[in-house]
Amino acid sequence: MIELAAALGHVERTASPLPPRRCRLLEARGAVLGAPVVADIDSPPWDRAMMDGFAVRDSDFAAVGDGVVELEVAVDLAAGDVTGIVVRPGACARIMTGAPLPEGADAIVPIERAVEDTARAHAGSRVRLHERGFRVGQHVARRGSAFRRGQEVLPAGTRLGAAAIGLAAEAGATHVIASPRVRVAILQTGSELVPHDAAPGFGQTRNSNGPMLAAAVAALDAEPILQGIAPDRPEHLRAAIAQSLAADILLVSGGVSAGDLDLVPGTLAACGVEQVFHKVRLKPGKPVWFGVLRRPAGESSTLVFGLPGNPASSLVCFELFVRPALQILAGRPPGTWHRRRIEARLIATAKAPADRPAYVPCRLVQERSEWLADPLPWTGSSDLVGLAVADGLLALPAGAGVLEAGAGVEVVVLDGEPGVGVTPARGPDAGRSDG
Ligand code: AMP
Ligand code: MG
């Protein structure tokens, strides 16, 4: 059994970024660029109208100051229309947002500045425009004002969020060189397990870990590959594990403790997976197993996590151990590897176990500049009811005993917006802790 910090050190040293490769822009959300995106066009590619109104010549307004200018409408231009017409002095074009400015025109006077009912003036009639404080070139996005052809619009290292994907699309990148989506095989073991869409018979348990871990993986922009359930039978388990080792990361839940049918560590070893650690001084999550299948040079390894079968333990281990491994493989910076930790003040008592550091679901409430942590009723490693509505995990040091309300604690912040959750549904035995 090793300490949490040592275990995390092992994970961080064993994981390394997957080499960037060419991938479709449409599949690159969340990926980190391995090479810059370079624009293949100027943007805008031509002078673009940014308002609905009239494309005019600066010189027709410069002379008039704040007075009314009457112009001949030479042409109507909707977005997508182009024209060979040149706007001469004393003329203008009726234009819609997104259309290219016709030659001769320099600025847009918005439709709202047309006086009386001349706003309806189309090609062939006259419009009277009253634009106070006319600015040269107003409401026009000049060609290349956003970026130029050949310009690096996104540097290597950029994480592709929605705006970056949009910019890459604008710049003409149908494909990008980026960290590939990390493929995570998710395998459940246990002869008692039935699929989550089945009604469990007596002695059977629904597979909640599969959907739960798939959601946790997807939330990190990685690709979950559900491998289903393997019973506690060596030959079945071995076949399922061998197949799942094609992924970048394999999560096997269940069968990693010390029971007779906890076959996972032995089967992983038989499949060539080298153990890095087994058992961490931690509650919940003590049985967690970590190893690596190394391959010949040039081929990437597969990281393997044996997660405890109990769902809350499984998820806590995912958050602590799998998350940093996945972020590292995805090429993301160290600041993203672990969940944020904050200092908070307890608003109810919490009991730390004597022998192991504990992670206990809690609610977070912000009061002025301070975070308050309210431990949720929680029965332990199999209990998802509290965890499902938690904002954070109280990190309780081993041997700290009973921490009274008012004591300072560290909290691992989970997904979502702290302090806006619902009240957990509870059975009659809530609050008893045996995890
Ligand atoms: P194990 O780690 O295999 O000893 O399992 C510990 C507990 O977790 C047992 O009660 C199992 O039935 C339960 N368990 C194991 N795998 C799952 C799963 N995929 N979904 C829900 N419960 C599970
Ligand atoms: Mg089991």
Side-chain angles (χ1 to χ4, degrees):
M1 185 141 65
I2 63 172
E3 299 297 320
L4 177 60
L8 292 177
H10 281 301
V11 170
E12 290 176 11
R13 281 190 301 277
T14 310
S16 56
L18 296 173
R21 64 164 185 248
R22 195 175 137 86
C23 62
R24 273 157 43 86
L25 180 66
L26 292 177
E27 282 151 18
R29 193 199 59 185
V32 175
L33 284 179
V37 170
V38 175
D40 72 346
I41 53 166
D42 291 342
S43 185
W46 20 262
D47 296 344
R48 176 187 286 150
M50 298 302 286
M51 297 280 267
D52 292 336
F54 298 89
V56 303
R57 298 176 67 102
D58 286 338
S59 53
D60 282 336
F61 282 77
V64 181
D66 278 352
V68 172
V69 177
E70 184 171 322
L71 300 168
E72 160 92 41
V73 181
V75 64
D76 290 348
L77 296 171
D81 290 350
V82 291
T83 178
I85 289 176
V86 178
V87 175
R88 308 264 167 222
C92 66
R94 189 182 175 97
I95 199 164
M96 307 282 276
T97 304
L101 227 62
E103 205 185 319
D106 317 282
I108 306 294
V109 174
I111 192 87
E112 297 81 2
R113 305 290 182 274
V115 294
E116 288 138 27
D117 57 2
T118 67
R120 280 189 232 116
H122 283 275
S125 46
R126 298 181 76 76
V127 65
R128 300 176 66 233
L129 298 171
H130 192 193
E131 177 66 304
R132 293 182 185 83
F134 178 88
R135 288 172 296 108
V136 166
Q138 67 177 28
H139 308 310
V140 174
R142 288 283 165 203
R143 172 177 182 164
S145 56
F147 55 78
R148 292 274 178 200
R149 179 192 169 122
Q151 185 180 325
E152 202 175 290
V153 292
L154 292 166
T158 304
R159 173 135 190 226
L160 296 172
I165 296 271
L167 177 55
E170 186 183 341
T174 58
H175 293 73
V176 289
I177 308 291
S179 55
R181 189 158 286 246
V182 179
R183 293 163 308 140
V184 184
I186 298 170
L187 175 65
Q188 271 62 58
T189 75
S191 298
E192 77 281 25
L193 300 179
V194 293
H196 74 280
D197 56 0
F202 185 65
Q204 296 183 321
T205 296
R206 278 195 185 116
N207 172 16
S208 44
N209 289 349
M212 175 182 75
L213 295 170
V217 165
L220 292 173
D221 290 323
E223 183 188 343
I225 305 163
L226 286 168
Q227 300 285 359
I229 299 163
D232 295 315
R233 298 240 299 275
E235 65 285 13
H236 283 86
L237 191 58
R238 183 157 179 174
I241 285 177
Q243 209 181 55
S244 307
L245 283 168
D248 302 308
I249 294 179
L250 166 57
L251 307 181
V252 192
S253 80
V256 285
S257 311
D260 289 343
L261 286 177
D262 288 329
L263 304 169
V264 167
T267 309
L268 287 168
C271 290
V273 184
E274 190 184 301
Q275 177 182 313
V276 178
F277 63 74
H278 187 192
K279 296 200 167 72
V280 176
R281 212 158 70 85
L282 174 67
K283 182 181 178 165
K286 183 171 102 179
V288 65
W289 189 100
F290 174 58
V292 57
L293 176 67
R294 300 190 196 279
R295 295 197 173 84
E299 283 180 67
S300 57
S301 317
T302 298
L303 303 182
V304 182
F305 292 87
L307 304 176
N310 273 312
S313 301
S314 232
L315 193 61
V316 168
C317 288
F318 181 94
E319 291 300 343
L320 294 177
F321 304 107
V322 182
R323 182 185 170 91
L326 203 157
Q327 300 287 61
I328 292 171
L329 263 62
R332 295 177 192 142
T336 68
W337 293 356
H338 300 282
R339 286 209 179 263
R340 189 161 65 103
R341 288 180 179 240
I342 59 171
E343 293 297 324
R345 194 165 296 286
L346 280 174
I347 54 175
T349 57
K351 189 167 175 290
D355 57 333
R356 293 176 274 164
Y359 286 83
V360 176
C362 71
R363 269 292 167 57
L364 285 169
V365 188
Q366 195 162 28
E367 201 179 76
R368 289 183 287 276
S369 61
E370 193 174 49
W371 283 106
L372 304 179
D374 188 9
L376 283 157
W378 192 52
T379 61
S381 56
S382 66
D383 181 2
L384 286 177
V385 179
L387 200 51
V389 295
D391 301 314
L393 296 170
L394 290 175
L396 303 174
V402 176
L403 297 167
E404 301 293 346
V409 283
E410 194 179 47
V411 179
V412 176
V413 182
L414 297 173
D415 269 337
E417 198 120 337
V420 296
V422 294
T423 304
R426 270 295 150 189
D429 289 340
R432 192 175 48 83
S433 177
D434 61 11

